């Protein structure tokens, strides 16, 4: 389509736009709409152009953008302009996040407002509040089965509480991250209820079939997400007398994005939450948005087009808002969710670095960095104006989706190595102190994933239970080591609530009929605030972890080389226990940091002669930025303590 044609179409739409819009100052809106409309219309036409109601749907799309712009507060509009002028603002090293369940952290939103000092004490300035939209009390999938996309779950509070929290965070220069579940709704959602009642427009919001012919075609190529608890991808609905696509759980109905009404509804919901104060929106399950017979129904080209269209539309109404892609897929696929532009993220500015997370856990189990080094070499380079979200634990399980070729190049047999990791982290391996729980076991393939808190997986739970001081010290060292790497690797570091005070597994889920079949609840804790106060008592486990992480975060924010501009070089060394990389400042070549991590339970050495840039004139002038002290050295050899990490700088 020529640019002139898109302008002509835009003029036709604006000539029919609702008269009420003319009462408002829409200058910025029209400027952004004009700049983005060619891309918006091209994508919308590619997805929905063959439909007879295309012009009507395009009109609805523009009016939706205008209506949400009008509803956006002056304060948030001003923030949009500020971020447009500093478009790399989120690549700064100043941002450090924490993900949490509202009810587990502080019971409700009001409780969170009362604990903001806790984040500030640690140095957290990005808070990811996991799903708080209304959902059924029983079958909620931890909040990811939404029954009303525009209401807060009453157990968390209401919209006024959320807006109050968002305002408090802005006053403290802190960011709010919220979830929007894109792929599915609860079967209790109004749309699903109306579909069951026979309203044909709403039946087209979902994938429903009167017999098994089409579902069986899909099943030939679609994998099972939860084979243990939710086998298959379709559920028979007695009321409707139809099969419904339910990829995740039988009570989560997949949305039909081949229907433009669904797209506009979900875009409207994203913008609604942006207007409540969300700085970043985490888009859940984005890999599953487009369904196609004969495929896995994951990572389809149309799913990327949907995300591009959502981003272009958001640029018109709320350009200061970022997207996180929740796509836990192979490395070669995950970078596509940034978009395929050479520089700018055309889909989502942020993506989960699940590969790095899983590789870190491999290094913990093996006590070496062979697969970690190999896997990082295979990690595709991100776009310049996009960033990774680096994490150790989250609300979900740990998957072992390493590339088989990388496993072989690291010297392991893929199937045996995955079996070892499962055994290690579930405490079945002889030398393991881990107390993880298997999740999603597939009896057909023997595969499984791993649940468990950080403290329990690294052996802290075991060590405290038996009173082994050396084992406690080792576990704390590993916790600090892992955090030092997500803070230095490049991207947005995201801590998981409870990890900062060594919270161990919560076994109470086994007594809850709703939760007992989902082992992920073992690492979704309720914070014991009396225990959390121990972070201020020297010598306690809580103090030792919290104080060291607090130092790491503070130092991280001061090192300009840790901003994320593709300014990281992996350094290959002879010692297999070490993971080494260099961070550097693009404009100041002398401003650089050498990160050396030792995954072994014994001290290891690194000969700086292997690193020409660091070996020549700096003997005696290297300083560990974390401690402010010189590293242990003998001649030109640096000694790295057991489970230790250096951030070396030059003085």
């Amino acid at each position: 389509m020529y640019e002139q044609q898109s302008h002509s179409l835009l003029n036709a739409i604006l000539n029919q736009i609702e008269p009420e819009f003319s009462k408002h100052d829409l200058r910025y809106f029209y400027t952004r709409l004009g700049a983005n409309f060619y891309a918006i219309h091209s994508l919308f036409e590619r997805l929905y152009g063959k439909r007879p109601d295309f012009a009507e749907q395009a009109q609805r799309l523009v009016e939706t953008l205008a209506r949400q712009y009008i509803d956006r507060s002056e304060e948030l509009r001003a923030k949009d302009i500020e971020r447009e002028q500093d478009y790399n603002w989120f690549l700064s090293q100043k941002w450090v996040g924490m993900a949490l369940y509202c009810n587990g952290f502080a019971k409700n939103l009001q409780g969170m407002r009362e604990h903001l000092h806790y984040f500030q004490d640690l140095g957290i300035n990005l808070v990811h509040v996991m799903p708080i939209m209304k959902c059924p009390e029983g079958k909620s999938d931890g909040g990811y089965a939404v029954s009303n996309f525009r209401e807060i779950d009453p157990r968390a509070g209401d919209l006024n509480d959320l807006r109050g929290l968002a305002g408090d965070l802005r006053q403290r220069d802190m960011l709010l991250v919220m979830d929007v579940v894109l792929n599915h709704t609860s079967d209790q959602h109004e749309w699903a209820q109306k579909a069951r009642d026979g309203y044909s427009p709403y039946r087209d919001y979902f994938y429903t079939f009167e017999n098994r012919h089409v579902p069986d075609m899909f099943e030939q190529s679609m994998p099972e997400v939860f084979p243990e608890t939710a086998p298959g991808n379709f559920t028979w609905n007695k009321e409707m007398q139809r099969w419904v696509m339910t990829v995740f759980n039988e009570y989560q109905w997949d949305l039909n994005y081949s229907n433009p009404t669904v797209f506009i509804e979900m875009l409207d919901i994203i913008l609604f939450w942006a207007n409540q104060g969300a700085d970043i929106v985490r888009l859940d399950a984005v890999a599953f948005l487009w369904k196609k017979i004969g495929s896995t129904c994951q990572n389809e080209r149309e799913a990327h087009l949907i995300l591009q269209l959502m981003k272009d539309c958001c640029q018109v109404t709320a350009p200061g808002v970022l997207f996180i892609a929740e796509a836990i897929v192979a490395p070669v696929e995950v970078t596509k969710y940034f978009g395929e532009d050479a520089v700018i993220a055309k889909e989502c500015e942020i993506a989960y670095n699940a590969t790095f997370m899983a590789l870190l856990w491999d290094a913990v189990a093996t006590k070496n960095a062979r697969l970690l080094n190999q896997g990082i070499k295979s990690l595709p380079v991100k776009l310049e104006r996009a960033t990774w979200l680096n994490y150790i634990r989250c609300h979900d399980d740990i998957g072992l989706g390493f590339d088989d070729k990388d496993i072989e190049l690291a010297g392991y047999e893929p199937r045996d190595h995955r079996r070892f990791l499962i055994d290690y982290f579930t405490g079945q391996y002889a030398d393991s102190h881990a107390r993880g729980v298997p999740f999603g076991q597939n009896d057909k393939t023997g595969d499984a994933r791993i649940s468990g808190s950080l403290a329990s997986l690294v052996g802290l739970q075991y060590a405290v239970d038996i009173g082994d001081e050396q084992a406690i010290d080792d576990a704390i060292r590993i916790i600090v080591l892992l955090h030092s790497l997500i803070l230095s690797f490049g991207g947005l570091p995201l801590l998981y609530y409870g990890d900062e005070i060594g919270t161990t597994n919560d076994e109470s889920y086994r007594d809850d009929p709703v939760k007992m079949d989902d082992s992920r609840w073992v690492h979704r804790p309720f914070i014991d605030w009396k225990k959390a106060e121990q972070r201020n008592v020297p010598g306690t486990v809580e103090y030792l972890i919290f104080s060291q992480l607090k130092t790491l975060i503070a130092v991280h924010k001061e090192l300009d080389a840790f901003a994320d501009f593709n300014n990281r070089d992996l350094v290959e060394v002879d010692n297999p226990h070490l993971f080494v990389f260099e961070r550097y400042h693009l404009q100041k070549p002398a401003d650089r940091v050498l990160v050396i991590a030792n995954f072994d339970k014994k001290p290891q050495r690194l000969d700086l002669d292997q690193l020409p840039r660091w070996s020549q004139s700096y003997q005696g002038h290297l300083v560990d930025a974390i401690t402010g002290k010189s590293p242990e050295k003998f001649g030109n050899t640096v000694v790295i303590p057991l489970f230790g990490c250096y951030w070396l700088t030059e003085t």
Side-chain angles (χ1 to χ4, degrees):
M1 178 187 294
Y2 293 109
E3 194 81 26
Q4 294 91 326
Q5 288 178 292
S6 70
H7 286 168
S8 176
L9 289 167
L10 176 57
N11 287 334
I13 289 173
L14 294 179
N15 286 337
Q16 299 178 58
I17 204 164
E18 293 188 20
E20 64 180 85
F21 294 159
S22 63
K23 302 174 185 177
H24 301 274
D25 181 0
L26 298 179
R27 286 174 297 172
Y28 284 110
F29 173 80
Y30 286 136
T31 299
R32 294 173 185 143
L33 180 63
N36 288 277
F37 188 74
Y38 173 66
I40 289 171
H41 186 273
S42 297
L43 290 165
F44 199 67
E45 184 181 48
R46 184 166 175 182
L47 288 164
Y48 307 116
K50 294 181 180 180
R51 292 176 59 101
D53 62 348
F54 173 76
E56 175 188 341
Q57 296 284 5
Q59 184 79 30
R60 285 189 58 230
L61 176 63
V62 171
E63 291 183 351
T64 297
L65 299 180
R67 189 172 292 107
Q68 289 291 3
Y69 178 81
I70 290 168
D71 289 344
R72 195 156 175 79
S73 71
E74 288 299 328
E75 183 182 6
L76 294 177
R77 290 187 197 177
K79 183 63 71 175
D80 289 334
I81 294 171
E82 176 187 324
R83 290 174 180 169
E84 282 180 313
Q85 293 170 346
D86 180 18
Y87 48 80
N88 286 331
W89 64 273
F90 63 97
L91 302 179
S92 167
Q93 78 280 6
K94 73 177 272 188
W95 303 111
V96 179
M98 178 178 285
L100 54 86
Y101 276 105
C102 176
N103 65 327
F105 182 76
K107 293 186 179 179
N108 52 37
L109 291 168
Q110 185 57 43
M112 285 195 60
R113 296 179 70 180
E114 295 167 3
H115 284 94
L116 292 184
H117 66 280
Y118 183 79
F119 300 123
Q120 291 182 290
D121 185 18
L122 184 57
I124 298 298
N125 53 13
L126 181 154
V127 181
H128 174 197
V129 183
M130 286 185 290
I132 53 173
M133 296 174 197
K134 191 173 182 180
C135 58
E137 289 209 18
K139 298 177 178 180
S140 67
D141 189 26
Y144 288 95
V146 178
S147 57
N148 191 315
F149 282 111
R150 297 178 189 273
E151 289 186 15
I152 298 292
D153 192 293
R155 290 164 287 187
D158 56 29
L159 284 173
N160 287 329
D161 294 323
L162 177 68
R163 286 190 286 262
L165 173 63
D168 289 348
L169 290 170
R170 282 195 299 276
Q171 288 181 357
R172 292 165 172 78
D173 194 23
M174 300 167 73
L175 304 177
L176 174 63
V177 184
M178 292 189 65
D179 283 75
V180 172
V181 183
L182 284 189
N183 181 68
H184 46 258
T185 74
S186 162
D187 61 0
Q188 300 304 306
H189 193 284
E190 179 187 13
W191 301 340
Q193 292 175 343
K194 288 185 175 180
R196 278 195 297 269
D197 291 342
Y199 289 93
S200 57
Y202 288 95
R203 189 164 287 180
D204 197 33
Y205 276 41
F206 305 98
Y207 298 94
T208 72
F209 307 93
E210 62 182 0
N211 56 49
R212 285 289 310 189
H213 296 158
V214 173
D216 286 344
M217 290 291 292
F218 272 110
E219 293 285 19
Q220 291 178 23
S221 55
M222 289 179 71
E224 297 172 318
V225 175
F226 298 134
E228 186 179 23
T229 57
N233 291 284
F234 294 85
T235 300
W236 176 253
N237 185 265
K238 292 181 180 179
E239 297 172 68
M240 195 165 48
Q241 288 291 296
R242 295 177 74 86
W243 291 93
V244 183
M245 183 177 282
T246 55
V247 168
F248 284 81
N249 287 292
E250 63 178 16
Y251 53 84
Q252 291 167 300
W253 289 17
D254 284 55
L255 287 164
N256 175 13
Y257 278 91
S258 66
N259 179 354
T261 301
V262 169
F263 174 86
I264 294 171
E265 291 267 25
M266 296 308 295
L267 173 64
D268 194 37
I269 287 162
I270 291 171
L271 297 175
F272 173 81
W273 291 108
N275 284 350
Q276 307 312 307
D279 299 282
I280 303 174
V281 177
R282 177 187 179 273
L283 303 178
D284 184 68
V286 293
F288 297 83
L289 296 183
W290 197 266
K291 310 303 193 290
K292 186 181 295 183
I293 288 178
S295 76
T296 62
C297 296
Q298 296 181 37
N299 306 310
E300 291 298 317
R301 176 61 182 157
E302 288 84 354
H304 290 284
L305 298 180
I306 288 168
L307 292 172
Q308 289 176 34
L309 183 54
M310 285 181 169
K311 172 48 60 178
D312 284 337
C313 289
C314 192
Q315 286 294 108
V316 173
T317 299
V321 173
L322 307 180
F323 287 171
I324 297 176
E326 192 272 326
I328 311 304
V329 295
V332 69
E333 293 293 340
V334 72
T335 52
K336 295 178 183 178
Y337 288 92
F338 292 131
E340 297 186 34
D341 185 270
V343 177
I344 302 169
K346 290 291 190 181
E347 294 182 26
C348 301
E349 292 89 351
I350 308 167
Y352 281 85
N353 199 347
T355 299
F356 185 45
M357 177 274 297
L359 290 168
L360 289 175
W361 283 110
D362 180 89
V364 169
T366 60
K367 305 295 186 293
N368 71 65
R370 292 206 302 267
L371 183 54
L372 173 56
N373 277 294
Q374 179 59 43
I376 292 302
K377 285 190 287 186
S378 300
L379 187 68
V381 176
K382 69 172 186 65
L383 301 183
E384 290 181 20
R385 285 173 58 191
T387 194
W388 292 114
L389 196 154
N390 298 314
Y391 63 109
I392 305 163
R393 289 301 293 116
C394 68
H395 71 288
D396 247 332
D397 54 278
I398 299 171
L400 306 175
F402 315 113
D403 188 287
D404 283 357
K405 291 182 180 178
D406 286 336
I407 297 176
E408 291 169 349
L409 288 169
Y412 306 116
E413 195 285 320
R415 186 179 178 85
D416 290 346
H417 190 63
R418 288 192 178 91
R419 186 70 254 171
F420 157 72
L421 292 173
I422 294 167
D423 289 345
Y424 181 92
F425 286 115
T426 56
Q428 304 304 307
Y429 187 72
D431 292 334
S432 170
H433 295 166
R435 292 295 178 265
V437 184
F439 174 77
Q441 289 177 300
N442 190 327
D443 294 334
K444 301 174 188 175
T445 64
D447 291 336
R449 306 197 292 269
I450 300 157
S451 296
S453 72
L454 169 59
S456 296
L457 290 172
V458 300
L460 183 59
Q461 178 179 334
Y462 160 86
V464 170
D465 285 348
I466 67 170
D468 186 331
E469 293 298 328
Q470 182 58 56
I472 291 173
D473 183 66
D474 287 350
I476 291 174
R477 284 175 175 268
I478 296 172
I479 290 172
V480 175
L481 166 63
L482 293 172
H483 281 95
S484 72
L485 289 173
I486 66 167
L487 283 159
S488 58
F489 187 75
L492 289 171
L494 186 71
L495 284 68
Y496 186 61
Y497 79 122
D499 289 352
E500 75 286 356
I501 51 174
T503 301
T504 54
N505 285 349
D506 179 1
E507 302 288 346
S508 66
Y509 82 97
R510 299 180 188 274
D511 301 322
D512 186 332
V514 174
K515 299 177 181 177
M516 61 190 305
D517 293 328
D518 187 344
S519 67
R520 293 174 299 177
W521 288 105
V522 79
H523 57 253
R524 297 172 179 176
F526 290 87
I527 297 299
D528 181 343
W529 284 101
K530 289 184 179 179
K531 184 175 185 291
E533 286 302 315
Q534 295 295 305
R535 74 188 188 278
N536 298 313
V537 180
T540 63
V541 167
E542 294 79 9
Y543 174 86
L544 291 170
I545 298 173
F546 192 93
S547 59
Q548 291 184 76
L549 297 190
K550 181 176 179 177
T551 297
L552 283 175
I553 290 169
V555 174
H556 161 87
K557 292 179 179 180
E558 295 299 319
L559 294 172
D560 290 341
F562 282 174
D564 191 21
F565 294 100
N566 281 333
N567 50 332
R568 179 188 63 251
D569 286 334
L570 183 66
V571 180
E572 296 190 59
V573 298
D574 293 338
N575 190 328
H577 301 288
L578 302 181
F579 180 50
V580 185
F581 58 89
E582 182 184 54
R583 301 297 311 283
Y584 52 90
H585 194 292
L586 292 177
Q587 282 76 45
K588 304 173 185 175
D591 189 354
R592 54 197 177 123
V593 182
L594 183 67
V595 178
I596 310 174
N598 174 19
F599 281 93
D600 196 34
K601 56 185 176 181
K602 297 179 181 178
Q604 296 293 322
R605 60 185 176 85
L606 174 62
D607 188 346
L608 291 181
D609 288 336
Q610 296 182 52
L611 289 70
R613 292 181 58 187
W614 292 86
S615 66
Q616 297 173 0
S617 59
Y618 302 112
Q619 294 187 27
H621 299 285
L622 290 178
V623 172
D624 176 23
I626 300 170
T627 63
K629 300 177 181 179
S630 296
E632 296 181 59
K633 288 183 62 181
F634 182 80
N636 215 25
T637 298
V638 175
V639 177
I640 305 94
L642 68 157
F643 303 127
C645 185
Y646 285 138
W647 292 350
L648 296 183
T649 59
E650 305 161 356
T651 61

